[in-house]
Amino acid sequence: MRKFILAAASIAALSFVGQASAQSPIVLKFSHVVASDTPKGKAADKFKELAEKYTGGKVKVEVYPNSTLYKDKEELEALQLGAVQMLAPSNSKFGPIGIKEFEVFDLPYILPDLKSLRKVTDGPLGAQLLKKLDSKGMTGLAYWDNGFKQMSANK
């Protein structure tokens, strides 16, 4: 069983658990922890739409937003156990499982703009980071944004 992760300023993961027969589609459970009307939620719904369209119904994507299946801290374990096949966790979730290099994206203002971020994530460094997921039984597919430099405070 192989798991795949779509990484990013929000990351997602995918794992094929078997071959679909002519009658039954491959079912991918896609869990994420945000509302459906957020950028990540909308992207998950678009992924479902396109995956089902371009596979001619051979793949069925079930999207579970708002932590309906797993809470934020439980998702990676659920993926590793095969309970879900796709995730969209934040990069900071990879530090606790031993891939601290992803935490660089949590440093505020380390990258001045979206163009600089894309240069990193779409380049060799981004590819090296995704490759580190292999050791955890996951394969990084791509980076997704979940907003850039969003900070808030009460005072």
Side-chain angles (χ1 to χ4, degrees):
M1 186 180 318
R2 188 74 181 154
K3 290 128 190 126
F4 299 87
I5 259 202
L6 229 136
S10 286
I11 301 196
L14 163 70
S15 142
F16 291 120
V17 278
Q19 299 296 324
S21 68
Q23 289 98 2
S24 62
I26 295 171
V27 176
L28 301 177
K29 290 182 180 178
F30 186 163
S31 177
H32 63 81
V33 299
V34 299
S36 294
D37 63 348
T38 63
K40 186 190 297 186
K42 290 177 182 180
D45 290 340
K46 188 66 171 179
F47 174 82
K48 169 186 171 54
E49 174 191 327
L50 295 175
E52 291 176 357
K53 175 183 174 183
Y54 288 112
T55 63
K58 292 179 183 171
V59 172
K60 181 180 185 294
V61 180
E62 297 175 353
V63 178
Y64 297 91
N66 270 342
S67 301
T68 53
L69 282 183
Y70 298 99
K71 303 294 181 218
D72 204 22
K73 294 183 179 189
E74 302 166 342
E75 281 193 323
L76 287 178
E77 183 179 3
L79 177 72
Q80 290 175 311
L81 294 172
V84 296
Q85 293 73 45
M86 193 162 193
L87 298 179
S90 67
N91 287 330
S92 62
K93 299 303 172 212
F94 296 109
I97 65 165
I99 309 174
K100 302 274 186 208
E101 293 87 344
F102 277 100
E103 293 176 351
V104 72
F105 292 111
D106 290 337
L107 296 172
Y109 304 105
I110 192 166
L111 298 165
D113 54 37
L114 192 56
K115 183 178 178 183
S116 299
L117 174 65
R118 290 276 186 264
K119 189 174 183 180
V120 170
T121 57
D122 295 345
L125 180 57
Q128 287 174 4
L129 286 172
L130 292 178
K131 190 76 177 146
K132 289 183 176 287
L133 297 169
D134 290 352
S135 68
K136 303 300 179 184
M138 298 175 260
T139 300
L141 299 177
Y143 289 86
W144 276 9
D145 290 326
N146 192 34
F148 188 71
K149 291 187 185 179
Q150 295 183 3
M151 302 184 77
S152 64
N154 292 332
K155 295 182 182 182

